Amino acid sequence: MSNSTPYYYEPNGDVAVNGKTYTKEEYVKKFGRWYNFSAAMAINNEDVELDYPHRGICPKGWHVPSNKEWHTMASFVYNSTNPDYKSLECSPSISDKGYACIVMALADSTDWKFSANNATGLSLLPAGYYEREYSAIGKGTYLWSATPASPNKV
């Protein structure tokens, strides 16, 4: 399947996430599907100029964040004086840029193997990702950016 062909992936059957088993239907309802870039951006070919903000498959009134927006949010969380964001123990061995604090403040407080507090309310779930095979289910997740690898082109 080409990256330019919109496509999404679903589990083939039951999925175990940190000791709990979900049926395919339960998993998709809770964690969602894995989308390739073209599907996430709701485009049909590689030679498309993206508009910003780019809605993609997001509901009306929402958009797929750009790299700049993701970095702005991460900086806000990391530099915040909000005690809920700073109440987390962040291991410098994980990252010298404080990514552990950011992830814990963005992650839902359930289903992860680490202690998250979801201080931001974003409620990220450990859905894993699909890259020729299912990976990191229960351990991590990938988030899309509307910023293409090549400026203005997908």
Side-chain angles (χ1 to χ4, degrees):
M1 185 70 50
S2 162
N3 273 342
S4 64
T5 303
Y7 194 76
Y8 67 82
Y9 303 88
E10 292 182 341
N12 298 323
D14 292 353
V15 180
V17 179
N18 299 325
K20 181 174 182 184
T21 301
Y22 295 88
T23 65
K24 172 184 173 179
E25 293 76 21
E26 290 170 332
Y27 181 89
V28 169
K29 184 176 180 179
K30 179 169 183 157
F31 297 96
R33 295 178 172 96
W34 299 286
Y35 292 86
N36 71 357
F37 185 80
S38 294
M41 298 303 120
I43 57 175
N44 287 313
N45 78 45
E46 294 180 11
D47 202 26
V48 173
E49 289 197 25
L50 297 177
D51 55 321
Y52 292 99
H54 190 78
R55 179 176 171 192
I57 61 169
C58 295
K60 188 174 183 174
W62 293 81
H63 67 274
V64 179
S66 66
N67 283 353
K68 183 178 179 182
E69 289 171 308
W70 281 119
H71 290 288
T72 299
M73 183 206 45
S75 293
F76 173 81
V77 171
Y78 184 68
N79 295 313
S80 174
T81 57
N82 182 328
D84 290 335
Y85 300 164
K86 300 302 179 183
S87 66
L88 305 166
E89 286 189 34
C90 300
S91 169
S93 64
I94 295 174
S95 170
D96 61 345
K97 297 187 180 189
Y99 291 128
C101 290
I102 295 166
V103 169
M104 288 187 255
L106 301 174
D108 191 79
S109 57
T110 62
D111 295 308
W112 290 90
K113 283 193 169 189
F114 59 82
S115 177
N117 75 352
N118 194 28
T120 62
L122 188 58
S123 303
L124 293 179
L125 293 169
Y129 58 90
Y130 185 88
E131 234 176 79
R132 291 185 279 287
E133 66 179 2
Y134 303 106
S135 300
I137 295 172
K139 299 175 187 167
T141 194
Y142 279 3
L143 304 171
W144 279 113
S145 166
T147 305
S150 301
N152 300 323
K153 298 282 184 181
V154 175

